[in-house]
Amino acid sequence: MSARILYGKDFAAQIKESARVEIESLKNKFGVTPGLAVVIVGENPASQVYVRNKHKTCVELGINSTVVAMPETSTKEDLLAKIDELNADKNVNGILVQLPLPAEIKAHSEEILNRIDPLKDVDGFHPVNVGKLVTGSPALVPCTPAGCIEMLDLAGIKIDGKRAVIIGRSNIVGKPMLHLLMARHATVTVCHSHTKNLADVTREAEILVAAMGRPKFVTADMIREGAVVIDVGINRIAPKKLVGDVDFDAAVEIAGAITPVPGGVGLLTVAMLMKNVVTATKLQLKIS
Ligand code: NAD
């Protein structure tokens, strides 16, 4: 039996539409147009594509988008000063620093990201937002895992009571995913590079999230029959060939539902960023 394919574009369109409606209502009821500032340092071509994509989506939904392009030679102090300026700017509701930063300042990434006002931290990386996520307070949550939860809801897939397994424990995907699934009453196990007998654990999963960055690592024998498989991995195996962390062709025969790569989770991330800009604006206006 072949699995239901969870196409990211269908869910991303729904997430963006709900953001658009909220943006309209912020304009009409409060006279506020949400604003996003994306800081990009240097000329990294992949980062430029991501930033263009974010800008385009902002324009499409009616968010004021500012791209702050800074030279490759920018210092840590230059970035901190720019973030202070954006923190103080009332027209900017969300701030995002596109990663990775150039090699010369990469070591200061954490200090730079932590300078962003937590209420404007639309990537959800600030320790204040991480703490709120863990304690269950309203927070800005990293876009990729938040998008996965939205997708499950929109697809009508129940989380409550399910056995969930996440492969990967990064701050961007694995750890926030743990808290999001746990908050929705799943029983969650997080696996990582030191996990023994990985397949024994993953075979228990009714919801399996692969976020490890290893091309086609998750094979059919690691998947429980009928499981919902969310493939977060994006691995470039040739100049024009992207694959996920899951061996899709084999997994599709055993899973109940599965996201493809490309065309799956990747498309949800930008859509969720737009929702986070709306959430940040509402948090700043103290409205729910
Ligand atoms: P990361 O490198 O920070 O973390 C990878 C995690 O996988 C680590 O916790 C590690 O312990 C675990 N891992 C690695 N090898 C393993 C193994 N053999 N067995 C078990 N666990 C193993 O990566 P990340 O930032 O979380 O990203 C993971 C993947 O998701 C990457 O392919 C990345 O490109 C992709 N990603 C996609 C999106 C999106 O928008 N779809 C967003 C973020 C990340």
Side-chain angles (χ1 to χ4, degrees):
M1 200 191 70
S2 210
R4 170 182 178 192
I5 315 277
L6 302 168
Y7 291 105
K9 71 171 169 25
D10 299 340
F11 303 107
Q14 293 180 65
I15 295 168
K16 285 195 286 184
E17 179 53 22
S18 88
R20 198 191 57 73
V21 169
E22 290 205 76
I23 292 159
E24 273 296 307
S25 127
L26 283 168
K27 284 182 191 168
N28 295 338
K29 286 197 196 144
F30 300 95
V32 172
T33 300
L36 172 68
V38 176
V39 179
I40 176 166
V41 187
E43 309 287 330
N44 181 318
S47 294
Q48 286 178 335
V49 173
Y50 292 137
V51 170
R52 259 203 307 277
N53 218 348
K54 288 166 188 173
H55 174 73
K56 217 179 82 199
T57 314
C58 280
V59 173
E60 181 190 326
L61 299 187
I63 291 174
N64 278 336
S65 163
T66 313
V67 176
V68 182
M70 298 181 68
E72 186 92 26
T73 50
S74 303
T75 62
K76 178 184 92 173
E77 287 70 27
D78 294 336
L79 260 110
L80 293 176
K82 179 51 75 180
I83 290 170
D84 287 345
E85 188 187 315
L86 296 169
N87 280 340
D89 187 338
K90 290 216 165 4
N91 294 319
V92 171
N93 303 102
I95 304 169
L96 179 157
V97 176
Q98 185 65 44
L99 299 176
L101 290 171
E104 295 72 24
I105 48 170
K106 202 173 183 165
H108 304 292
S109 298
E110 197 176 330
E111 184 182 349
I112 291 165
L113 294 182
N114 289 355
R115 190 74 157 235
I116 298 173
D117 178 344
L119 287 175
K120 296 190 176 187
D121 165 40
V122 283
D123 258 339
F125 296 160
H126 194 287
V128 167
N129 282 316
V130 176
K132 285 184 174 176
L133 173 62
V134 173
T135 54
S137 308
L140 291 163
V141 177
C143 300
T144 302
C148 293
I149 300 289
E150 287 270 338
M151 177 189 70
L152 291 176
D153 286 343
L154 291 168
I157 294 169
K158 200 171 151 244
I159 303 173
D160 196 325
K162 290 273 175 70
R163 186 80 178 80
V165 174
I166 302 162
I167 319 177
R169 57 175 163 184
S170 72
N171 290 335
I172 297 174
V173 186
K175 283 184 205 161
M177 197 73 206
L178 157 68
H179 293 289
L180 290 169
L181 286 168
M182 195 162 55
R184 296 292 298 275
H185 313 296
T187 301
V188 193
T189 303
V190 179
C191 302
H192 46 76
S193 50
H194 291 235
T195 300
K196 301 236 166 40
N197 305 322
L198 183 63
D200 289 345
V201 186
T202 59
R203 268 196 299 269
E204 290 179 9
E206 295 171 283
I207 298 173
L208 179 62
V209 181
M212 54 203 307
R214 300 274 179 271
K216 299 188 183 185
F217 187 97
V218 178
T219 45
D221 59 307
M222 296 170 74
I223 298 169
R224 174 172 170 162
E225 200 173 340
V228 175
V229 178
I230 304 177
D231 190 353
V232 181
I234 301 177
N235 308 288
R236 191 170 293 281
I237 55 166
K240 289 196 169 164
K241 176 90 175 141
L242 292 179
V243 297
D245 287 352
V246 178
D247 180 0
F248 182 88
D249 293 341
V252 77
E253 299 300 327
I254 182 145
I258 185 166
T259 61
V261 178
V265 172
L267 298 171
L268 303 173
T269 303
V270 177
M272 272 322 283
L273 173 65
M274 302 299 124
K275 264 215 131 158
N276 271 0
V277 176
V278 171
T279 306
T281 307
K282 286 163 54 174
L283 286 170
Q284 288 153 40
L285 294 172
K286 297 193 171 61
I287 52 173
S288 53

